[in-house]
Amino acid sequence: DKTAPTITSFSSTTTNGSYNAGDTINITATTSESIQSGNTITVTLDTGDTVVLTAASAGTTLTGTYTVGAGDTSSDLTVSSFAIGTVADAAGNAMTSTAVPSGSNNLGGSSAIVIDTTAPAITGTTVTSNNASIAVTFSEAVYNTSGGSGALEASDFSLTLSGGTATLSSATPSSISSSSNTYTLALSLSGTPNGTETITVVPSSSTAIYDAVGNAASTSQSNNTVTLNDKTAPTITSFSSTTTNGSYNAGDTINITATTSESIQSGNTIT
């Protein structure tokens, strides 16, 4: 026997699905012939991680375990390359080829394993014209349990208001409804907004909102503020005159000036 063994396939015994940080995934390499116990190769996954595969006994398989790290991502986990440690058949022929099997003979073709360590995030916030509610959109489907189930509840959100004249009666939305990844949160306002109020919405805690694989949404968010619409009517705050103090008679002209509480439109009149 003068034929060196080769890697014929990469596969996994791990169930297809999505996995996040801390999860473990089996990686198995199959060889063209029986190799010696203790032989190893080191595979590089498309996440950039490396995993050592070891032949636990003489045979045609080497196995190892990939532990998903924070920040890892892959839409379909696969082996990108591998390096040979010590691999030889019973006759002592050493493996030299590092050709990576493709298609159904690689992990990406034989399994459907997704690596997702990205937490869901708020991507946009809008307010209705009457300030009755805000719409909050997430980057992906979200749930109120780490197991990928449970509809979000009003208590999963926390609201704050800064500026202006109106105030929030409650930091918790008074009701919630949803359409796809967008959640409509009803506001409980006291007073009339003057258009300078800013509403900020965040998850109520670091364990309130999750994606399907258990990544928790942070309580620090971007794209999560909205300015309320001005619903305060202008008022006259004073009357004055630029005309010099003194006595005037028929035909004289005297300036009368009214000052309003806020900017009004050109051409507006009062009598």
Side-chain angles (χ1 to χ4, degrees):
D1 178 6
K2 297 298 181 182
T3 302
T6 60
I7 299 296
T8 58
S9 69
F10 290 107
S11 60
S12 177
T13 60
T14 300
T15 303
N16 290 338
S18 296
Y19 296 85
N20 66 3
D23 292 337
T24 56
I25 297 169
N26 162 267
I27 308 293
T28 298
T30 301
T31 56
S32 57
E33 61 179 310
S34 181
I35 59 174
Q36 299 175 24
S37 175
N39 283 183
T40 63
I41 64 172
T42 300
V43 300
T44 299
L45 303 174
D46 61 328
T47 60
D49 296 276
T50 58
V51 181
V52 176
L53 308 186
T54 303
S57 60
T60 58
T61 59
L62 304 93
T63 61
T65 300
Y66 160 50
T67 300
V68 180
D72 289 359
T73 184
S74 173
S75 59
D76 191 5
L77 188 67
T78 194
V79 174
S80 299
S81 63
F82 71 94
I84 302 166
T86 300
V87 181
D89 62 15
N93 298 305
M95 179 181 291
T96 57
S97 173
T98 56
V100 178
S102 59
S104 61
N105 289 320
N106 201 329
L107 183 59
S110 61
S111 298
I113 295 173
V114 176
I115 306 302
D116 176 9
T117 61
T118 302
I122 295 173
T123 57
T125 310
T126 59
V127 63
T128 54
S129 60
N130 62 357
N131 298 317
S133 63
I134 60 173
V136 181
T137 301
F138 283 88
S139 56
E140 59 183 311
V142 286
Y143 309 88
N144 71 356
T145 72
S146 59
S149 64
L152 295 191
E153 302 173 356
S155 59
D156 293 320
F157 293 90
S158 178
L159 305 171
T160 56
L161 184 152
S162 61
T165 55
T167 59
L168 278 172
S169 302
S170 173
T172 301
S174 57
S175 67
I176 185 173
S177 61
S178 65
S179 175
S180 187
N181 299 340
T182 298
Y183 292 81
T184 299
L185 311 177
L187 303 177
S188 296
L189 295 173
S190 296
T192 304
N194 66 5
T196 62
E197 296 87 353
T198 297
I199 294 282
T200 301
V201 57
V202 294
S204 58
S205 74
S206 59
T207 57
I209 299 174
Y210 301 87
D211 66 10
V213 296
N215 295 305
S218 171
T219 54
S220 298
Q221 293 284 328
S222 302
N223 307 308
N224 63 324
T225 62
V226 67
T227 301
L228 296 183
N229 296 301
D230 181 5
K231 294 299 177 180
T232 301
T235 59
I236 301 297
T237 57
S238 68
F239 288 106
S240 60
S241 178
T242 59
T243 302
T244 304
N245 292 336
S247 297
Y248 297 84
N249 65 8
D252 291 338
T253 57
I254 299 171
N255 163 269
I256 306 295
T257 298
T259 301
T260 56
S261 57
E262 59 181 312
S263 179
I264 59 174
Q265 298 175 22
S266 175
N268 286 181
T269 63
I270 63 171
T271 301

